[in-house]
Amino acid sequence: MLEIKKQVEGQQVQIDLIGNLDTNTAPDLDALMKTVFEEGASDIVLELGQLKYVSSAGLRVILRVQKKINAIKGRFVVRHPNAIVSEVFASTGFDEILTIEK
């Protein structure tokens, strides 16, 4: 299960993920991110402080967001990943392509 909260402050959109980002829940985040980009967002913060788990399906969504941000020369920050999520990022090389704030 994944709870997604979206907060907009000016040009910045913060997305809080609570629970597990996996095969069942990744499409929900993907759909939200498409909407966020359609609304013109170019400054996105992904708050992972309460994310317990991320699967390869979740990583694919995060990678798509990073690629889209790169294409529009925006800003994408991933904040507060826990030890498990941080290890997944490190083992997959995502820690080298994402801007991560601990």
Side-chain angles (χ1 to χ4, degrees):
M1 186 171 154
L2 180 69
E3 181 181 350
I4 302 173
K5 294 182 180 178
K6 174 183 160 190
Q7 302 169 352
V8 180
E9 287 186 30
Q11 292 294 96
Q12 185 180 80
V13 178
Q14 179 171 314
I15 309 292
D16 296 3
L17 301 182
I18 302 161
N20 296 318
L21 181 57
D22 56 26
T23 304
N24 295 322
T25 60
D28 297 335
L29 178 60
D30 197 36
L32 175 68
M33 295 313 301
K34 285 178 184 173
T35 301
V36 166
F37 283 118
E38 287 169 1
E39 293 171 349
S42 61
D43 185 356
I44 298 173
V45 173
L46 195 60
E47 173 58 56
L48 304 183
Q50 297 182 63
L51 185 70
K52 296 176 181 145
Y53 171 80
V54 62
S55 74
S56 60
L59 291 175
R60 281 191 292 276
V61 175
I62 293 170
L63 183 59
R64 273 195 292 276
V65 172
Q66 183 65 62
K67 286 182 176 181
K68 178 71 173 171
I69 285 290
N70 290 348
I72 63 172
K73 305 215 182 320
R75 178 178 168 268
F76 179 49
V77 176
V78 176
R79 285 195 183 140
H80 309 124
N82 68 22
I84 294 168
V85 174
S86 292
E87 187 167 321
V88 170
F89 286 160
S91 67
T92 57
F94 273 60
D95 61 338
E96 296 184 17
I97 59 172
L98 299 174
T99 301
I100 301 173
E101 294 178 356
K102 305 264 179 176

